[in-house]
Amino acid sequence: MCEGLTLTQKMINRLVSLNIPFVYIQDSRTNDIISKPPVSGKLRREAINTIETTFLDMKNKMNLDGSFTIEQANFKLTQIVRNIMGELKRNKELMTLLADVYTYDDYIFTHSFNVTLYTLAIGVELNINNKNLQILGLGAILHDVDKMLLPLEVLRKPGKLTEKEFEQIQKHADYGFHLIKNVHTVSLLVANCAYQHHERLDGSGYPRGIKGDEIHYFGKIIAVADVFDAVTSNRVYRKAMLPHQGLEVLYAGVGKKFDNTIIEAFRRAIAIYPNCLSVELNDGRKGVKMKG
């Protein structure tokens, strides 16, 4: 939209004041380096728009029947999953710097898309068949749909949550399960994805505190994708971590909170240091990461 515009210091200061983490620029030094996104911009926009429309419609009609809203959107959401599956299988290298600039108001929609993308990348790496991959992807899209029922002042609170507020957050997975399980055209596994993505191997998760094999494999996969995107995204209460730092968070929980096989599949599926990323070596030299 602003192609060809020369950035001034005043513009840069304004971008910083608006908490915009990055912009795309043209640089003659890197014109020959081609960075291919894991999915097309068109698909990304369509997916986030469909997620937003579905979630907001469900919120507005909650007094009537939120499950019916999900049922109506099932076809569109499933098609999004199929399209992402197709593009991921054609493009084997998944970049981690996925998130474009977004406001705190649309975090849930963008987060739902990113988690779906990461989840499906893990699923493809684990050779999950197409039928189950589709169920897994739909579970990822809807894993946070119930957060639309939580008070905004709790979701966007910059400080520490009170005990009562944290209890509200912990109940959101339970809300999601009951919301989705009433959709007769959607597999019960999708509801379980929403129910279990905050459970942990050692039983320290919520809402039920189940552990190990009590947690469905799909719930374990979405847990990894969910945590990675959460810690590498800007939130009202903290700044985003870098991708390699997000991966370190996951590895710190191996065997205790997260399944090692899933984390290893995630590591293989993504590019922690993707093409065109500026890097600085220990000796102070700077460069741009290229494939190879």
Side-chain angles (χ1 to χ4, degrees):
M1 200 163 69
C2 297
E3 185 175 351
L5 182 69
T6 301
L7 288 175
T8 64
Q9 188 58 50
K10 184 177 181 180
M11 291 178 184
I12 294 172
N13 292 341
R14 177 61 174 163
L15 291 171
V16 171
S17 70
L18 292 172
N19 292 317
I20 294 177
F22 62 85
V23 294
Y24 297 101
I25 64 170
Q26 290 180 318
D27 190 328
S28 59
R29 295 171 297 177
T30 56
N31 282 343
D32 59 335
I33 304 177
I34 300 174
S35 177
K36 185 179 179 181
V39 297
S40 68
K42 181 174 182 288
L43 174 55
R44 178 183 172 83
R45 289 189 299 273
E46 288 177 352
I48 294 177
N49 182 62
T50 300
I51 292 169
E52 180 175 5
T53 300
T54 302
F55 284 20
L56 290 177
D57 195 34
M58 184 210 70
K59 181 179 181 180
N60 293 333
K61 296 179 180 177
M62 185 47 57
N63 292 332
L64 299 174
D65 190 350
S67 297
F68 180 65
T69 301
I70 295 175
E71 187 165 4
Q72 285 183 310
N74 184 27
F75 176 79
K76 287 184 178 180
L77 294 173
T78 299
Q79 192 57 51
I80 286 172
V81 171
R82 289 173 179 164
N83 291 340
I84 294 174
M85 285 167 54
E87 293 204 18
L88 283 179
K89 288 183 177 182
R90 286 190 294 272
N91 178 24
K92 297 296 184 180
E93 185 176 283
L94 174 63
M95 290 179 60
T96 56
L97 304 181
L98 296 168
D100 285 322
V101 176
Y102 55 86
T103 64
Y104 297 123
D105 290 350
D106 64 13
Y107 168 76
I108 291 176
F109 317 127
T110 308
H111 173 67
S112 296
F113 173 79
N114 286 349
V115 169
T116 303
L117 196 53
Y118 291 140
T119 295
L120 289 173
I122 294 170
V124 170
E125 185 65 32
L126 291 171
N127 294 313
I128 294 175
N129 66 54
N130 283 345
K131 181 181 178 180
N132 284 325
L133 202 56
Q134 186 171 297
I135 293 172
L136 175 61
L138 190 58
I141 279 187
L142 294 172
H143 81 284
D144 264 353
V145 65
D146 43 274
K147 280 191 176 178
M148 300 304 296
L149 311 181
L150 296 177
L152 290 178
E153 60 270 20
V154 174
L155 287 175
R156 300 179 192 165
K157 186 174 181 178
K160 185 178 180 180
L161 296 176
T162 65
E163 186 175 338
K164 185 177 180 180
E165 288 169 339
F166 188 59
E167 285 177 2
Q168 285 182 293
I169 292 291
Q170 287 185 313
K171 288 179 180 178
H172 92 86
D174 189 56
Y175 294 152
F177 171 72
H178 288 93
L179 187 67
I180 300 170
K181 81 179 181 66
N182 291 325
V183 182
H184 303 300
T185 56
V186 172
S187 168
L188 186 61
L189 270 178
V190 173
N192 275 310
C193 288
Y195 205 17
Q196 297 184 357
H197 71 279
H198 282 300
E199 301 288 1
R200 300 293 180 258
L201 295 182
D202 60 2
S204 62
Y206 61 84
R208 293 185 293 160
I210 57 179
K211 61 178 67 175
D213 291 338
E214 295 176 297
I215 308 169
H216 193 278
Y217 198 53
F218 288 1
K220 295 176 184 178
I221 291 174
I222 295 177
V224 168
D226 177 59
V227 168
F228 182 81
D229 187 66
V231 300
T232 56
S233 299
N234 283 307
R235 305 297 296 275
V236 290
Y237 48 85
R238 58 151 176 76
K239 292 183 178 180
M241 292 183 179
L242 293 172
H244 72 275
Q245 294 173 319
L247 195 59
E248 287 172 4
V249 169
L250 294 177
Y251 272 118
V254 165
K256 300 176 183 177
K257 300 184 183 300
F258 309 112
D259 186 293
N260 184 54
T261 303
I262 294 171
I263 293 178
E264 286 298 326
F266 183 54
R267 182 188 60 79
R268 293 193 303 270
I270 64 173
I272 291 298
Y273 300 103
N275 282 354
C276 303
L277 181 71
S278 296
V279 294
E280 182 174 350
L281 303 181
N282 291 336
D283 60 7
R285 289 182 296 167
K286 297 180 180 180
V288 177
K289 192 266 184 184
M290 298 179 68
K291 190 172 185 179

